Amino acid sequence: MMAAPSPAEQIRQDFAPPQADVEEITRAMEAFARGHNSEGRRVVLITSGGTKVPLESRTVRFLDNFSSGHRGATSAEYFLQAGYAVIFLHRHRSMYPYSRRYSALNWLDVLRLLPCSAPREHRVEAVQSQLPGIVRVLQDYHGMKESGRLLPIEFNTLSDYLHLLLAAARALSPLGSNALFYLAAAVSDFYIPASEMPEHKIQSSSGPLQITMKMVPKMLSPLVKEWAPKAFVISFKLETNPEILIERARKALDTYRHQVVVANVLDTRRSYVVVVTSTEEEKLSISDEEESVGVEIEDKIVKDLTLRHTRFIEGTELN
Ligand code: PMT
């Protein structure tokens, strides 16, 4: 019997080549990780946003999911605040650190034209009252840019995501326990192999659609065992039924043997999570009062996890 292909082989065999220039991005990630590590800084890879799975190779339709990238973008800010260098692997056009606070704005309503003394010329001014907290956000954003501690990398399709995650893992592996993986992206569990995908648009005239999708290989398994075995790895578990949440998180820990699962329920994900390790269940929540003054659950998640990461590096974290 032939052995099942490894996840890395399966990605190469079954998925269309990535749209992203993986080699160039890999070099950028390696240089970024090496540079920050040599300055004694920890590096976190944050994955963020949902993945898109095409149903046709000349894609008209695809399978998508709900994730806005809020968790990843917000967490990136708190990791930067905690002194980490951040590789932010995010879905194209999903939320982005700092600008995420204004993602619901229509910019044309925020800008206004001011007449100039020269005829037919105008200046453009932002209406500051429509941009709450903008001074602080701009200071943080430009400070972060000058520090060179954020490397944003975009993915579009599931194929891009899988190739780039593998590349990132290889770039971070030399950092050993100083590398942290924070896998907040909502990754599709199903796909159609490139060889089985119809080339052209599926015709509705052929009647109701029936498709069979293959299971996407779980990246956590090779990540923990082979790609970056010394790193501190945090996965997320999302459920819609709170009753099975902890059991599912524990199952993931038992299966993949990584350090932490952050468990959350779709409807309450902005105000309540449970940090699950092999020995603990730490409930983190945001009260109404905290919410009213702008406290974010990601602040608490990142504080909790950076502490666990320190103990992991020092060899005092149980797992
Ligand atoms: O983006 P927001 O709108 O703010 O929402 C945030 C979130 C709810 C998406 C986030 O908090 C979250 O829970 N993300 C994980 C969603 C999920 O259910 O993942 P999963 O059960 O499909 O996968 C579990 C873990 O395995 C995840 O960390 C995932 O990154 C990883 N995985 C998944 C599939 C795959 N093929 N390989 C993987 O390694």
Side-chain angles (χ1 to χ4, degrees), residues 210-232:
Q210 278 196 343
I211 44 175
T212 305
M213 302 182 93
K214 259 174 98 168
M215 293 299 295
V216 175
K218 284 280 181 199
M219 294 296 121
L220 263 173
S221 186
L223 174 68
V224 174
K225 281 202 214 118
E226 297 161 37
W227 300 345
K230 297 211 166 84
F232 191 62

mmCIF file of all heavy atoms in Angstrom, residues 210-232:
data_model
loop_
_atom_site.group_PDB
_atom_site.id
_atom_site.type_symbol
_atom_site.label_atom_id
_atom_site.label_comp_id
_atom_site.label_asym_id
_atom_site.label_seq_id
_atom_site.Cartn_x
_atom_site.Cartn_y
_atom_site.Cartn_z
ATOM 1 N N GLN A 210 -23.839 19.241 -7.136
ATOM 2 C CA GLN A 210 -23.330 18.332 -6.103
ATOM 3 C C GLN A 210 -21.827 18.325 -6.226
ATOM 4 O O GLN A 210 -21.303 18.048 -7.311
ATOM 5 C CB GLN A 210 -23.838 16.921 -6.366
ATOM 6 C CG GLN A 210 -25.233 16.703 -5.856
ATOM 7 C CD GLN A 210 -25.560 15.221 -5.773
ATOM 8 O OE1 GLN A 210 -24.893 14.385 -6.371
ATOM 9 N NE2 GLN A 210 -26.605 14.898 -5.043
ATOM 10 N N ILE A 211 -21.123 18.629 -5.136
ATOM 11 C CA ILE A 211 -19.664 18.583 -5.218
ATOM 12 C C ILE A 211 -19.125 17.740 -4.065
ATOM 13 O O ILE A 211 -19.716 17.687 -2.994
ATOM 14 C CB ILE A 211 -19.007 19.991 -5.156
ATOM 15 C CG1 ILE A 211 -19.636 20.853 -4.074
ATOM 16 C CG2 ILE A 211 -19.024 20.693 -6.485
ATOM 17 C CD1 ILE A 211 -18.959 22.191 -3.903
ATOM 18 N N THR A 212 -17.997 17.105 -4.323
ATOM 19 C CA THR A 212 -17.326 16.374 -3.250
ATOM 20 C C THR A 212 -16.018 17.091 -2.999
ATOM 21 O O THR A 212 -15.274 17.375 -3.944
ATOM 22 C CB THR A 212 -17.040 14.923 -3.686
ATOM 23 O OG1 THR A 212 -18.284 14.362 -4.101
ATOM 24 C CG2 THR A 212 -16.459 14.110 -2.553
ATOM 25 N N MET A 213 -15.765 17.410 -1.748
ATOM 26 C CA MET A 213 -14.538 18.127 -1.419
ATOM 27 C C MET A 213 -13.647 17.241 -0.562
ATOM 28 O O MET A 213 -14.147 16.443 0.240
ATOM 29 C CB MET A 213 -14.874 19.444 -0.700
ATOM 30 C CG MET A 213 -15.772 20.327 -1.551
ATOM 31 S SD MET A 213 -16.153 21.904 -0.774
ATOM 32 C CE MET A 213 -14.883 22.951 -1.441
ATOM 33 N N LYS A 214 -12.341 17.407 -0.739
ATOM 34 C CA LYS A 214 -11.391 16.634 0.081
ATOM 35 C C LYS A 214 -11.104 17.388 1.370
ATOM 36 O O LYS A 214 -11.304 18.595 1.433
ATOM 37 C CB LYS A 214 -10.082 16.467 -0.700
ATOM 38 C CG LYS A 214 -9.927 15.105 -1.343
ATOM 39 C CD LYS A 214 -8.695 15.052 -2.207
ATOM 40 C CE LYS A 214 -7.489 14.419 -1.540
ATOM 41 N NZ LYS A 214 -6.412 14.133 -2.502
ATOM 42 N N MET A 215 -10.596 16.679 2.359
ATOM 43 C CA MET A 215 -10.215 17.332 3.618
ATOM 44 C C MET A 215 -8.863 18.026 3.460
ATOM 45 O O MET A 215 -7.914 17.424 2.960
ATOM 46 C CB MET A 215 -10.054 16.293 4.732
ATOM 47 C CG MET A 215 -11.317 15.600 5.161
ATOM 48 S SD MET A 215 -12.541 16.725 5.817
ATOM 49 C CE MET A 215 -11.747 17.326 7.294
ATOM 50 N N VAL A 216 -8.789 19.268 3.912
ATOM 51 C CA VAL A 216 -7.509 19.996 3.913
ATOM 52 C C VAL A 216 -6.630 19.376 5.008
ATOM 53 O O VAL A 216 -7.109 19.134 6.118
ATOM 54 C CB VAL A 216 -7.752 21.487 4.232
ATOM 55 C CG1 VAL A 216 -6.437 22.231 4.368
ATOM 56 C CG2 VAL A 216 -8.632 22.125 3.171
ATOM 57 N N PRO A 217 -5.362 19.090 4.694
ATOM 58 C CA PRO A 217 -4.509 18.528 5.757
ATOM 59 C C PRO A 217 -4.370 19.521 6.901
ATOM 60 O O PRO A 217 -4.228 20.720 6.669
ATOM 61 C CB PRO A 217 -3.155 18.314 5.064
ATOM 62 C CG PRO A 217 -3.196 19.167 3.834
ATOM 63 C CD PRO A 217 -4.642 19.335 3.448
ATOM 64 N N LYS A 218 -4.451 19.041 8.137
ATOM 65 C CA LYS A 218 -4.298 19.931 9.298
ATOM 66 C C LYS A 218 -2.824 20.324 9.406
ATOM 67 O O LYS A 218 -1.956 19.467 9.587
ATOM 68 C CB LYS A 218 -4.741 19.218 10.585
ATOM 69 C CG LYS A 218 -6.252 19.140 10.703
ATOM 70 C CD LYS A 218 -6.864 20.447 11.196
ATOM 71 C CE LYS A 218 -8.375 20.351 11.343
ATOM 72 N NZ LYS A 218 -9.047 21.632 11.383
ATOM 73 N N MET A 219 -2.557 21.599 9.279
ATOM 74 C CA MET A 219 -1.183 22.071 9.267
ATOM 75 C C MET A 219 -0.524 21.991 10.645
ATOM 76 O O MET A 219 0.682 22.008 10.771
ATOM 77 C CB MET A 219 -1.130 23.531 8.790
ATOM 78 C CG MET A 219 -1.538 23.700 7.361
ATOM 79 S SD MET A 219 -0.368 22.853 6.314
ATOM 80 C CE MET A 219 -1.436 21.735 5.497
ATOM 81 N N LEU A 220 -1.379 21.952 11.672
ATOM 82 C CA LEU A 220 -0.824 21.954 13.027
ATOM 83 C C LEU A 220 0.075 20.752 13.264
ATOM 84 O O LEU A 220 1.093 20.859 13.950
ATOM 85 C CB LEU A 220 -1.977 21.889 14.028
ATOM 86 C CG LEU A 220 -2.428 23.201 14.605
ATOM 87 C CD1 LEU A 220 -3.679 22.998 15.437
ATOM 88 C CD2 LEU A 220 -1.330 23.797 15.478
ATOM 89 N N SER A 221 -0.304 19.645 12.691
ATOM 90 C CA SER A 221 0.436 18.422 12.955
ATOM 91 C C SER A 221 1.899 18.530 12.482
ATOM 92 O O SER A 221 2.820 18.410 13.299
ATOM 93 C CB SER A 221 -0.312 17.276 12.291
ATOM 94 O OG SER A 221 0.260 16.094 12.623
ATOM 95 N N PRO A 222 2.158 18.800 11.178
ATOM 96 C CA PRO A 222 3.571 18.910 10.780
ATOM 97 C C PRO A 222 4.253 20.143 11.373
ATOM 98 O O PRO A 222 5.463 20.127 11.603
ATOM 99 C CB PRO A 222 3.505 19.014 9.252
ATOM 100 C CG PRO A 222 2.138 19.486 8.937
ATOM 101 C CD PRO A 222 1.246 18.947 10.023
ATOM 102 N N LEU A 223 3.489 21.188 11.634
ATOM 103 C CA LEU A 223 4.090 22.399 12.218
ATOM 104 C C LEU A 223 4.735 22.054 13.565
ATOM 105 O O LEU A 223 5.883 22.409 13.840
ATOM 106 C CB LEU A 223 3.004 23.469 12.403
ATOM 107 C CG LEU A 223 3.423 24.742 13.122
ATOM 108 C CD1 LEU A 223 4.395 25.534 12.264
ATOM 109 C CD2 LEU A 223 2.229 25.623 13.452
ATOM 110 N N VAL A 224 3.970 21.346 14.395
ATOM 111 C CA VAL A 224 4.450 21.027 15.747
ATOM 112 C C VAL A 224 5.536 19.950 15.715
ATOM 113 O O VAL A 224 6.530 20.021 16.420
ATOM 114 C CB VAL A 224 3.252 20.563 16.621
ATOM 115 C CG1 VAL A 224 3.716 20.082 17.982
ATOM 116 C CG2 VAL A 224 2.238 21.685 16.753
ATOM 117 N N LYS A 225 5.330 18.958 14.834
ATOM 118 C CA LYS A 225 6.267 17.815 14.851
ATOM 119 C C LYS A 225 7.536 18.087 14.056
ATOM 120 O O LYS A 225 8.619 17.673 14.451
ATOM 121 C CB LYS A 225 5.571 16.596 14.244
ATOM 122 C CG LYS A 225 4.623 15.918 15.205
ATOM 123 C CD LYS A 225 4.390 14.480 14.780
ATOM 124 C CE LYS A 225 2.983 14.036 15.107
ATOM 125 N NZ LYS A 225 2.145 13.650 14.025
ATOM 126 N N GLU A 226 7.382 18.768 12.887
ATOM 127 C CA GLU A 226 8.549 18.833 11.998
ATOM 128 C C GLU A 226 9.019 20.249 11.676
ATOM 129 O O GLU A 226 10.200 20.513 11.631
ATOM 130 C CB GLU A 226 8.207 18.215 10.620
ATOM 131 C CG GLU A 226 7.872 16.781 10.634
ATOM 132 C CD GLU A 226 7.125 16.413 9.349
ATOM 133 O OE1 GLU A 226 7.462 16.961 8.285
ATOM 134 O OE2 GLU A 226 6.185 15.605 9.454
ATOM 135 N N TRP A 227 8.086 21.152 11.369
ATOM 136 C CA TRP A 227 8.505 22.416 10.788
ATOM 137 C C TRP A 227 9.122 23.359 11.810
ATOM 138 O O TRP A 227 10.057 24.084 11.490
ATOM 139 C CB TRP A 227 7.326 23.122 10.096
ATOM 140 C CG TRP A 227 6.704 22.331 8.993
ATOM 141 C CD1 TRP A 227 7.221 21.226 8.371
ATOM 142 C CD2 TRP A 227 5.447 22.582 8.361
ATOM 143 N NE1 TRP A 227 6.358 20.773 7.409
ATOM 144 C CE2 TRP A 227 5.256 21.592 7.375
ATOM 145 C CE3 TRP A 227 4.449 23.551 8.539
ATOM 146 C CZ2 TRP A 227 4.130 21.540 6.570
ATOM 147 C CZ3 TRP A 227 3.323 23.499 7.737
ATOM 148 C CH2 TRP A 227 3.169 22.503 6.759
ATOM 149 N N ALA A 228 8.561 23.402 13.020
ATOM 150 C CA ALA A 228 9.106 24.301 14.052
ATOM 151 C C ALA A 228 8.887 23.644 15.425
ATOM 152 O O ALA A 228 8.126 24.135 16.252
ATOM 153 C CB ALA A 228 8.427 25.668 13.976
ATOM 154 N N PRO A 229 9.585 22.513 15.664
ATOM 155 C CA PRO A 229 9.262 21.691 16.842
ATOM 156 C C PRO A 229 9.555 22.352 18.189
ATOM 157 O O PRO A 229 9.024 21.910 19.205
ATOM 158 C CB PRO A 229 10.133 20.434 16.642
ATOM 159 C CG PRO A 229 11.177 20.815 15.656
ATOM 160 C CD PRO A 229 10.624 21.918 14.814
ATOM 161 N N LYS A 230 10.391 23.407 18.197
ATOM 162 C CA LYS A 230 10.723 24.010 19.503
ATOM 163 C C LYS A 230 9.885 25.256 19.795
ATOM 164 O O LYS A 230 9.996 25.864 20.859
ATOM 165 C CB LYS A 230 12.205 24.396 19.514
ATOM 166 C CG LYS A 230 13.130 23.197 19.362
ATOM 167 C CD LYS A 230 14.435 23.448 20.091
ATOM 168 C CE LYS A 230 15.234 22.186 20.266
ATOM 169 N NZ LYS A 230 16.039 21.871 19.078
ATOM 170 N N ALA A 231 9.073 25.655 18.827
ATOM 171 C CA ALA A 231 8.333 26.918 18.970
ATOM 172 C C ALA A 231 7.148 26.766 19.936
ATOM 173 O O ALA A 231 6.700 25.659 20.243
ATOM 174 C CB ALA A 231 7.829 27.362 17.606
ATOM 175 N N PHE A 232 6.647 27.916 20.388
ATOM 176 C CA PHE A 232 5.452 27.961 21.248
ATOM 177 C C PHE A 232 4.255 28.129 20.310
ATOM 178 O O PHE A 232 4.149 29.143 19.599
ATOM 179 C CB PHE A 232 5.580 29.158 22.190
ATOM 180 C CG PHE A 232 4.574 29.191 23.299
ATOM 181 C CD1 PHE A 232 4.525 28.182 24.247
ATOM 182 C CD2 PHE A 232 3.690 30.253 23.424
ATOM 183 C CE1 PHE A 232 3.611 28.224 25.297
ATOM 184 C CE2 PHE A 232 2.771 30.308 24.473
ATOM 185 C CZ PHE A 232 2.737 29.278 25.404
#
